[in-house]
Amino acid sequence: MNTLLHGRATSSNVQIVAWALTELGLSYERLDVGGAFGGNTTPEFKALNPNGLVPVLEIDGLTLWESGAITRYLGARYGDEAFWPADPAVRAPVDKWAEWIKTTFVPAFLGGVFWPIISTKPGQPLPDSFAAAAAKLKQVAAILETGMPEDGFFGGDTVCWADMVIGTYLFRYFDLDFDRAETPKLRAYYDRLTGRPAYAEHVMVNYDSLRAK
Ligand SMILES: N[C@@H](CCC(=O)N[C@@H](CS)C(=O)NCC(=O)O)C(=O)O
């Protein structure tokens, strides 16, 4: 069976997986599921992922969900040592930041800032909670700044699974119009990511379709 990625191209978590597949040179088909496309609450889709969320990846006879777990599988199965290091002492520092992004940065950015801006119709005021959320995000971004590689990527000279999980959110973080913390290392890391063709193709995707009209 062909490798099949279920999920719309505007989903950050789908982008993580699409970017990983492309970096690893794996061919696949993608089905538009979720968001305006729907299709993720049907019994057929919930048989693939009972959460009704994208991405789902069908590969090697497996049905996988959770973008981080999928990306680690791809690294372990198809990547080199850098993609998901076997040495626990090399792996843990990389995993640490990837897990932290999901548990700490994503709620602060997507929940606190991105979705409130995107869901507010033009000319309408942002929710009262926005200022506090933006201030909190500045603190979180300052923590992320301390984890940035001085040059290259979390995978060293090349990207690894943590770059995908961390880097994907940075396109919207830097593209969106709001008052960000001063984070020169994070900005330089993001600028390096934008030079990768697979990042430009899968992550730097217009998200105007998500905006409230
Ligand atoms: N922890 C999951 C989160 C999956 C998730 O929240 N997916 C969102 C899109 S980014 C979704 O399916 N939302 C419903 C929709 O798109 O209709 C992962 O990393 O894969």
Side-chain angles (χ1 to χ4, degrees):
M1 195 178 92
N2 290 342
T3 298
L4 197 53
L5 175 58
H6 302 252
R8 58 190 164 86
T10 53
S11 151
S12 304
N13 294 303
V14 172
Q15 293 173 358
I16 289 170
V17 176
W19 178 18
L21 286 162
T22 302
E23 289 283 359
L24 292 167
L26 300 169
S27 60
Y28 65 96
E29 290 173 42
R30 189 181 58 76
L31 296 177
D32 276 323
V33 179
F37 297 98
N40 52 320
T41 55
T42 63
E44 292 77 16
F45 187 83
K46 286 199 167 177
L48 300 175
N49 181 356
N51 300 288
L53 296 174
V54 294
V56 170
L57 186 69
E58 294 188 79
I59 186 168
D60 302 334
L62 300 168
T63 300
L64 303 174
W65 38 268
E66 282 299 330
S67 56
I70 296 171
T71 311
R72 289 196 302 274
Y73 170 79
L74 294 174
R77 174 69 73 193
Y78 299 104
D80 59 12
E81 172 59 19
F83 202 96
W84 192 37
D87 180 348
V90 181
R91 178 190 292 182
V94 162
D95 285 2
K96 174 182 73 179
W97 281 108
E99 303 231 6
W100 177 89
I101 278 283
K102 288 278 195 188
T103 59
T104 307
F105 183 84
V106 167
F109 172 52
L110 291 187
V113 170
F114 179 80
W115 284 116
I117 290 177
I118 290 291
S119 314
T120 302
K121 290 185 179 174
Q124 296 299 306
L126 288 164
D128 291 344
S129 56
F130 184 80
K136 169 74 180 167
L137 180 59
K138 281 191 173 182
Q139 294 172 0
V140 169
I143 295 170
L144 182 55
E145 176 79 352
T146 69
M148 282 298 109
E150 290 296 332
D151 51 26
F153 306 100
F154 281 87
D157 292 339
T158 186
V159 286
C160 73
W161 87 279
D163 291 294
M164 270 124 234
V165 174
I166 295 163
T168 292
Y169 302 106
L170 297 182
F171 167 60
R172 292 177 183 182
Y173 177 77
F174 281 109
D175 188 66
L176 202 62
D177 186 18
F178 73 100
D179 182 28
R180 281 177 291 274
E182 278 296 313
T183 54
K185 290 182 183 173
L186 183 62
R187 177 73 211 200
Y189 168 74
Y190 168 70
D191 287 343
R192 291 193 292 277
L193 290 176
T194 64
R196 296 190 77 85
Y199 187 82
E201 179 183 354
H202 296 295
V203 181
M204 300 177 78
V205 170
N206 185 295
Y207 52 88
D208 281 345
S209 63
L210 305 178
R211 289 184 190 270
K213 303 283 184 317

